[in-house]
């Protein structure tokens, strides 16, 4: 029986590999006939992104954004289709066999449950097992230092580690203390009314997530029917670049697939797309170095021009849809010295994750934007 199962697995694997190769060949052939993009930073590539993503004037659900993979010029940041590990930007993908990720996802669902709970309602999850052998009972949150009982959520932040750190931890609490506590203090004083904040918020993020991971999460418990904030605030995409080395087109498509999902299920809410935050892999924090960028050196990759291209398209897209708002945080984190733009270590020590000070300045700008949206919505009622 074991031998038969192994043979069956081998046949399925070989057949799947054949289909995958056929699919990529089809995508490459179709791309060459419909796309005019020639490089990751060329004007032609940016025009191609705008042309297929902005879509037609028909904004009925399902055609808001044209998710046609055949129009993608290249999947990888380096300009090819094979040097990256990009996921299909239109498909939801969960790390279902990664215990820490499942734990963090459960923590986010607990945060949502607690937002509507009273002290008597805070009970452990109904099951101790997720079906994959992972015990989830230890992940149940109780009211404590970083969690308060709230019944009226104004905004839900969705994202990766940058969003998760608002709560004062990473990977659902596996990492915490130190700078995480300082960031949590900033969040509480700005986004919890019981702590003096102007708005009430939830922060739902998981470290390392890319757009397809976030899509899976909101399809599986992090955007339930009873969670209806006035604003959904989306920040995702930096790991699609840094972790998987995806092209601008793939990153843009992944972000918009998440946005489309929210638009479909929460048609009365405003969706704010936060532009991908600047990042640098250079010790001096420069966004673009003086040397020629080498895409083969993981330690020195200038993602900034590509991030700019994606953000510019996101802004154009938001201008076409009444439900969408774009938020530009570039001026918060980018400074200029001797005509060179850089990220100060005081705002992003690792030039990727905001420090407590970075979160504070960014948070103040977010609160201002939220106040504008919430006040406008009140007048329109």
């Amino acid at each position: 029986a074991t031998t038969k199962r192994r043979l069956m697995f081998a046949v399925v694997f070989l057949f799947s590999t054949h289909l995958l190769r056929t699919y990529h060949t089809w995508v490459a052939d179709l791309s060459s006939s419909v796309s005019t993009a020639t490089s990751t930073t060329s004007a032609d590539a940016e025009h191609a992104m705008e042309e297929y993503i902005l879509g037609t004037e028909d904004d009925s659900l399902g055609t808001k954004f044209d998710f046609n993979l055949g129009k993608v010029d290249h999947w990888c940041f380096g300009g090819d289709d094979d040097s990256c590990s990009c996921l299909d930007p239109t498909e939801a993908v969960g790390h279902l066999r990664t215990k820490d990720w499942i734990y963090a996802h459960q923590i986010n669902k607990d945060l949502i449950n607690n937002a509507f709970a009273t002290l008597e309602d805070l009970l452990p999850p109904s099951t101790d097992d997720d079906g994959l052998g992972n015990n989830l009972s230890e992940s149940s949150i109780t009211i404590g230092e970083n969690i308060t009982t709230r019944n009226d959520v104004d905004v839900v932040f969705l994202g990766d580690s940058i969003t998760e750190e608002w709560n004062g931890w990473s990977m659902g609490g596996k990492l915490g203390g130190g700078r995480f506590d300082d960031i949590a203090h900033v969040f509480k004083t700005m986004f919890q009314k019981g702590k003096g904040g102007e708005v009430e918020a939830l922060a739902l993020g998981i470290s390392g997530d890319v757009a397809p991971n976030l899509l899976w999460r909101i399809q599986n418990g992090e955007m339930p029917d009873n969670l209806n904030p006035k604003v959904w605030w989306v920040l995702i995409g930096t790991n699609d670049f840094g972790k998987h080395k995806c092209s601008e087109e793939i990153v843009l498509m992944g972000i918009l697939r998440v946005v489309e999902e929210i638009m479909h299920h929460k048609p009365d809410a405003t969706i704010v797309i936060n532009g991908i935050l600047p990042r640098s892999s250079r010790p001096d924090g420069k966004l673009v170095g003086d040397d020629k960028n080498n895409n083969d050196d993981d330690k020195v990759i200038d993602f900034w021009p590509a991030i700019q291209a994606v953000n510019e398209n996101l802004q154009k897209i938001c201008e076409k849809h009444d439900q969408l708002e774009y938020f530009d945080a570039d001026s918060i984190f980018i400074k200029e010295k001797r005509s060179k733009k850089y990220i100060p270590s005081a705002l992003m020590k690792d030039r990727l994750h905001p420090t407590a000070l970075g979160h504070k300045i960014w948070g103040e700008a977010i609160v201002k934007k939220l106040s504008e949206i919430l006040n406008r919505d009140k007048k329109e009622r």
Side-chain angles (χ1 to χ4, degrees):
T2 300
T3 301
K4 288 183 178 180
R5 282 197 296 270
R6 288 176 178 173
L7 287 173
M8 289 178 65
F9 176 80
V11 170
V12 171
F13 175 78
L14 290 172
F15 181 65
S16 300
T17 302
H18 172 71
L19 286 179
L20 186 60
R21 288 175 178 169
T22 302
Y23 168 75
H24 280 298
T25 300
W26 174 78
V27 169
D29 291 342
L30 189 55
S31 294
S32 64
S33 66
V34 298
S35 177
T36 59
T38 58
S39 71
T40 60
T41 57
S42 69
D44 287 342
E46 186 173 338
H47 174 72
M49 279 198 293
E50 179 179 340
E51 184 179 54
Y52 79 79
I53 285 293
L54 290 180
T56 65
E57 293 300 319
D58 178 11
D59 277 348
S60 59
L61 183 66
T63 59
K64 285 185 184 296
F65 311 118
D66 183 8
F67 298 118
N68 189 338
L69 292 174
K71 291 184 179 181
V72 173
D73 181 67
H74 49 270
W75 282 60
C76 304
F77 183 80
D80 62 301
D81 294 329
D82 303 313
S83 63
C84 56
S85 56
C86 299
L87 303 174
D88 184 333
T90 67
E91 296 293 332
V93 178
H95 294 297
L96 301 183
R97 295 195 176 277
T98 303
K99 185 175 181 180
D100 286 349
W101 190 88
I102 295 173
Y103 179 93
H105 173 53
Q106 183 62 45
I107 287 288
N108 286 346
K109 291 194 292 183
D110 288 346
L111 283 170
I112 294 170
N113 291 335
N114 289 351
F116 300 98
T118 64
L119 288 174
E120 293 77 15
D121 294 329
L122 295 174
L123 299 173
S126 58
T127 177
D128 290 338
D129 192 283
D130 63 355
L132 297 174
N134 297 313
N135 192 325
L136 299 179
S137 60
E138 62 184 65
S139 72
S140 182
I141 301 175
T142 57
I143 295 296
E145 179 65 20
N146 293 324
I147 309 300
T148 58
T149 301
R150 346 189 244 286
N151 297 311
D152 185 16
V153 179
D154 296 308
V155 57
V156 172
F157 296 102
L158 296 172
D160 47 39
S161 58
I162 296 172
T163 299
E164 186 180 27
E165 288 181 4
W166 281 118
N167 293 311
W169 61 61
S170 182
M171 291 307 295
K174 298 292 185 180
L175 297 175
R179 72 180 187 88
F180 294 105
D181 290 343
D182 296 334
I183 294 171
H185 176 73
V186 171
F187 181 80
K188 287 185 289 185
T189 56
M190 286 188 174
F191 298 106
Q192 291 184 8
K193 292 180 180 178
K195 300 288 185 178
E198 294 183 31
V199 295
E200 197 70 37
L202 285 176
L204 307 177
I206 296 183
S207 178
D209 268 9
V210 295
N213 301 146
L214 177 54
L215 180 62
W216 188 94
R217 284 162 43 202
I218 62 177
Q219 289 179 349
N220 292 273
E222 292 190 33
M223 192 174 65
D225 293 340
N226 65 337
L227 181 60
N228 292 294
K230 303 169 187 69
V231 179
W232 294 84
W233 194 287
V234 180
L235 173 59
I236 197 72
T238 195
N239 290 318
D240 300 74
F241 277 126
K243 186 177 180 180
H244 290 299
K245 306 297 188 295
C246 300
S247 70
E248 298 98 315
E249 295 168 277
I250 294 299
V251 176
L252 181 63
M253 191 179 290
I255 296 169
L256 293 179
R257 179 63 187 89
V258 170
V259 171
E260 183 190 53
E261 189 77 10
I262 303 171
M263 293 176 77
H264 174 45
H265 292 282
K266 307 294 180 180
D268 296 327
T270 297
I271 302 165
V272 178
I273 304 177
N274 199 119
I276 300 173
L277 299 187
R279 59 181 294 163
S280 174
S281 55
R282 298 176 179 274
D284 59 6
K286 288 181 180 178
L287 294 174
V288 179
D290 299 323
D291 57 309
K292 184 178 180 182
N293 184 40
N294 181 1
N295 288 339
D296 293 328
D297 184 356
D298 287 342
K299 294 181 180 179
V300 185
I301 298 180
D302 294 331
F303 288 111
W304 179 237
I307 290 174
Q308 280 184 299
V310 171
N311 287 349
E312 288 169 6
N313 276 271
L314 289 172
Q315 185 168 7
K316 291 176 183 177
I317 290 162
C318 288
E319 291 170 356
K320 284 177 61 74
H321 297 272
D322 293 337
Q323 194 180 355
L324 304 182
E325 298 265 356
Y326 179 76
F327 184 82
D328 184 357
D330 293 352
S331 62
I332 295 171
F333 295 102
I334 298 176
K335 306 302 175 185
E336 190 168 336
K337 184 178 182 180
R338 299 192 185 100
S339 301
K340 292 293 183 181
K341 293 182 177 180
Y342 71 101
I343 304 171
S345 60
L347 301 180
M348 285 186 179
K349 189 173 183 179
D350 63 356
R351 270 69 178 210
L352 176 61
H353 298 89
T355 60
L357 177 60
H359 273 286
K360 182 177 184 298
I361 299 173
W362 180 35
E364 289 170 348
I366 290 174
V367 169
K368 182 178 179 181
K369 177 71 171 180
L370 288 172
S371 296
E372 293 172 0
I373 295 173
L374 297 176
N375 290 333
R376 182 192 64 205
D377 291 346
K378 287 180 181 178
K379 292 179 181 179
E380 292 177 354
R381 288 197 194 109

